[in-house]
Amino acid sequence: MSIINYILEQPHILQRVIREIPPQLASIPDLIGSENYFLIGSGTSFNALAAVEPLWAEMISPFVKTGHPLSFISSLKVPSLKSTALILSQTGASKTTIQAVEHAQRLKMRVITLTADPDSPIAQVSSEKIIIPVGPETVGPKTKGYTASILTLLLLILAQRKKYLDISQFLADLPPFLKECSNICKSLTSRLASVNFILIMGQRRHLATALEGSLKLTEMCGLPVAAFDTEEAFHGRFHGLNPQNYAFFITSTAEELELANTGMSVLSELGIPGGILNLCPTKTSFFDLPILWPNSATLPELDLISAIIPFQLSAYYLAKAKNIIPENMKYPGLSQKLQIKTR
């Protein structure tokens, strides 16, 4: 199936998550009470975990760290009975993520695994697990898997505080948003088709959006893309840019928008094109891309789902414009050559 079908399927998949995840969470004992929490994953899974870490710190415990499997394995050697590891692998086939599950079990941690495939290798070595109802996504660049993981993680966090999430309006807004966003991204493709580097910047939870956006553009288009915290990017990173590049800023608060507007003003004076994905509900900027976002008033973190969709669509349409098959990626079979998957 084409990636565009998976992208457009996301409203339906998120409806499934809302229906099917809460009953699974009801059978998972409370997470509150551990001394330390480790959120472990790689690639898109890591980005989803990093996106929800600020909310986890706010609602469950500030003693939480998002990391990659090999770093987790190499840095923790002492048994930790009062720690919890939440380990996410959408395909369930990442070699090092499976090793991280086994390592956490050896250290006597509580281990909860999230995966989209109940028959995957990681599901076979996990006792406590949550199955994300994504359905098949038989391509390398994950789109619906990312947003389904985000919503599943948000529901998991809220469940620890017995909070109910009503996203009926958000879900109702998604189909027209996808249609309008598709038109905007098609138009943006004509500008991006000539660039040779893209810089994506975000803060707090949207640093993870920047990371995931950069991954989608690189995977589907074979284009060099970098992601940084906006503040970090201000410290020297702009010196590497030129008019053949493009800069994206992602903002969700007035303070973030003010910083992004300053950066975009400077880049514009230097002849470097760009735009702001402004999710802030109270303030606008001259550099805002003309996107009407879904209503995320019930939970601000729902904008993690909205914010990634322009990057998914732009990556797809840009690949098509470059005569690249986005499902195959630039170097087909690279995961097998790098030996990062079990299948």
Short mmCIF file of all heavy atoms in Angstrom, two decimals, residues 203-225:
data_model
loop_
_atom_site.label_atom_id
_atom_site.label_comp_id
_atom_site.label_asym_id
_atom_site.label_seq_id
_atom_site.Cartn_x
_atom_site.Cartn_y
_atom_site.Cartn_z
N GLN A 203 10.77 23.35 20.22
CA GLN A 203 11.13 23.36 21.64
C GLN A 203 10.21 22.45 22.43
O GLN A 203 9.09 22.14 22.01
CB GLN A 203 11.05 24.79 22.20
CG GLN A 203 12.11 25.73 21.65
CD GLN A 203 11.98 27.13 22.23
OE1 GLN A 203 11.14 27.91 21.80
NE2 GLN A 203 12.82 27.44 23.21
N ARG A 204 10.71 22.04 23.59
CA ARG A 204 9.95 21.19 24.51
C ARG A 204 9.43 19.96 23.74
O ARG A 204 10.21 19.27 23.11
CB ARG A 204 8.85 22.00 25.19
CG ARG A 204 9.41 23.20 25.96
CD ARG A 204 8.31 24.07 26.57
NE ARG A 204 8.89 25.21 27.27
CZ ARG A 204 9.18 26.38 26.71
NH1 ARG A 204 8.95 26.57 25.42
NH2 ARG A 204 9.70 27.35 27.41
N ARG A 205 8.13 19.69 23.80
CA ARG A 205 7.64 18.47 23.16
C ARG A 205 7.84 18.50 21.65
O ARG A 205 7.94 17.46 21.01
CB ARG A 205 6.17 18.23 23.51
CG ARG A 205 5.19 19.29 23.00
CD ARG A 205 3.76 18.94 23.44
NE ARG A 205 2.77 19.93 23.04
CZ ARG A 205 2.41 20.97 23.78
NH1 ARG A 205 2.98 21.17 24.96
NH2 ARG A 205 1.49 21.81 23.35
N HIS A 206 7.91 19.70 21.08
CA HIS A 206 8.02 19.78 19.62
C HIS A 206 9.45 19.68 19.11
O HIS A 206 9.65 19.72 17.89
CB HIS A 206 7.30 21.02 19.10
CG HIS A 206 5.81 20.87 19.17
ND1 HIS A 206 5.15 19.88 18.46
CD2 HIS A 206 4.87 21.53 19.88
CE1 HIS A 206 3.85 19.96 18.73
NE2 HIS A 206 3.66 20.94 19.58
N LEU A 207 10.42 19.53 20.01
CA LEU A 207 11.73 19.09 19.54
C LEU A 207 11.58 17.68 18.97
O LEU A 207 12.19 17.34 17.96
CB LEU A 207 12.75 19.11 20.68
CG LEU A 207 14.13 18.50 20.35
CD1 LEU A 207 14.76 19.16 19.14
CD2 LEU A 207 15.05 18.59 21.56
N ALA A 208 10.74 16.87 19.61
CA ALA A 208 10.48 15.51 19.10
C ALA A 208 9.77 15.57 17.75
O ALA A 208 10.05 14.76 16.86
CB ALA A 208 9.64 14.72 20.10
N THR A 209 8.86 16.53 17.57
CA THR A 209 8.22 16.70 16.26
C THR A 209 9.26 17.05 15.21
O THR A 209 9.21 16.55 14.08
CB THR A 209 7.15 17.81 16.32
OG1 THR A 209 6.20 17.51 17.35
CG2 THR A 209 6.43 17.93 14.99
N ALA A 210 10.20 17.91 15.57
CA ALA A 210 11.27 18.27 14.64
C ALA A 210 12.10 17.04 14.27
O ALA A 210 12.46 16.83 13.10
CB ALA A 210 12.16 19.36 15.25
N LEU A 211 12.41 16.21 15.26
CA LEU A 211 13.18 14.99 15.00
C LEU A 211 12.41 14.05 14.07
O LEU A 211 12.97 13.51 13.11
CB LEU A 211 13.49 14.28 16.32
CG LEU A 211 14.52 14.95 17.23
CD1 LEU A 211 14.51 14.30 18.61
CD2 LEU A 211 15.91 14.87 16.62
N GLU A 212 11.13 13.86 14.36
CA GLU A 212 10.33 12.96 13.53
C GLU A 212 10.12 13.54 12.13
O GLU A 212 10.15 12.81 11.13
CB GLU A 212 8.98 12.68 14.20
CG GLU A 212 8.04 11.78 13.41
CD GLU A 212 8.55 10.36 13.19
OE1 GLU A 212 9.55 9.96 13.82
OE2 GLU A 212 7.94 9.64 12.37
N GLY A 213 9.91 14.86 12.05
CA GLY A 213 9.76 15.49 10.74
C GLY A 213 11.02 15.35 9.90
O GLY A 213 10.96 15.08 8.69
N SER A 214 12.17 15.51 10.54
CA SER A 214 13.44 15.36 9.81
C SER A 214 13.62 13.92 9.33
O SER A 214 14.12 13.67 8.23
CB SER A 214 14.62 15.79 10.69
OG SER A 214 14.84 14.87 11.75
N LEU A 215 13.19 12.97 10.16
CA LEU A 215 13.30 11.56 9.79
C LEU A 215 12.42 11.24 8.59
O LEU A 215 12.85 10.55 7.65
CB LEU A 215 12.92 10.68 10.98
CG LEU A 215 12.97 9.17 10.77
CD1 LEU A 215 14.37 8.71 10.38
CD2 LEU A 215 12.50 8.44 12.02
N LYS A 216 11.19 11.74 8.58
CA LYS A 216 10.29 11.46 7.46
C LYS A 216 10.82 12.04 6.16
O LYS A 216 10.80 11.39 5.11
CB LYS A 216 8.88 12.01 7.75
CG LYS A 216 8.16 11.32 8.89
CD LYS A 216 7.72 9.89 8.56
CE LYS A 216 8.73 8.84 8.92
NZ LYS A 216 8.89 8.50 10.31
N LEU A 217 11.30 13.28 6.19
CA LEU A 217 11.82 13.90 4.97
C LEU A 217 13.06 13.18 4.46
O LEU A 217 13.22 12.97 3.26
CB LEU A 217 12.13 15.38 5.24
CG LEU A 217 10.91 16.30 5.30
CD1 LEU A 217 11.23 17.60 6.01
CD2 LEU A 217 10.39 16.58 3.88
N THR A 218 13.92 12.76 5.37
CA THR A 218 15.13 12.04 4.96
C THR A 218 14.79 10.66 4.42
O THR A 218 15.31 10.23 3.38
CB THR A 218 16.11 11.92 6.13
OG1 THR A 218 16.54 13.23 6.51
CG2 THR A 218 17.33 11.10 5.75
N GLU A 219 13.91 9.93 5.12
CA GLU A 219 13.56 8.58 4.69
C GLU A 219 12.89 8.58 3.31
O GLU A 219 13.22 7.77 2.44
CB GLU A 219 12.62 7.93 5.70
CG GLU A 219 13.28 7.49 7.00
CD GLU A 219 12.29 6.85 7.95
OE1 GLU A 219 11.14 7.33 8.05
OE2 GLU A 219 12.66 5.86 8.60
N MET A 220 11.93 9.45 3.13
CA MET A 220 11.14 9.41 1.89
C MET A 220 11.82 10.09 0.72
O MET A 220 11.64 9.68 -0.43
CB MET A 220 9.77 10.06 2.12
CG MET A 220 8.87 9.29 3.07
SD MET A 220 7.17 9.93 2.99
CE MET A 220 6.63 9.69 4.67
N CYS A 221 12.60 11.15 0.99
CA CYS A 221 13.17 11.96 -0.10
C CYS A 221 14.67 11.80 -0.27
O CYS A 221 15.23 12.28 -1.26
CB CYS A 221 12.89 13.45 0.14
SG CYS A 221 11.17 13.84 0.42
N GLY A 222 15.35 11.19 0.71
CA GLY A 222 16.80 11.10 0.64
C GLY A 222 17.47 12.45 0.77
O GLY A 222 18.60 12.65 0.30
N LEU A 223 16.80 13.39 1.44
CA LEU A 223 17.30 14.76 1.56
C LEU A 223 17.98 14.97 2.91
O LEU A 223 17.48 14.49 3.93
CB LEU A 223 16.12 15.73 1.43
CG LEU A 223 16.42 17.23 1.30
CD1 LEU A 223 17.09 17.52 -0.03
CD2 LEU A 223 15.11 18.01 1.40
N PRO A 224 19.13 15.65 2.96
CA PRO A 224 19.74 15.96 4.26
C PRO A 224 18.84 16.91 5.06
O PRO A 224 18.50 18.00 4.58
CB PRO A 224 21.06 16.64 3.89
CG PRO A 224 21.32 16.28 2.47
CD PRO A 224 19.97 16.13 1.84
N VAL A 225 18.45 16.49 6.25
CA VAL A 225 17.59 17.29 7.12
C VAL A 225 18.12 17.18 8.54
O VAL A 225 18.46 16.08 8.99
CB VAL A 225 16.12 16.80 7.08
CG1 VAL A 225 15.22 17.76 7.86
CG2 VAL A 225 15.62 16.66 5.64
#
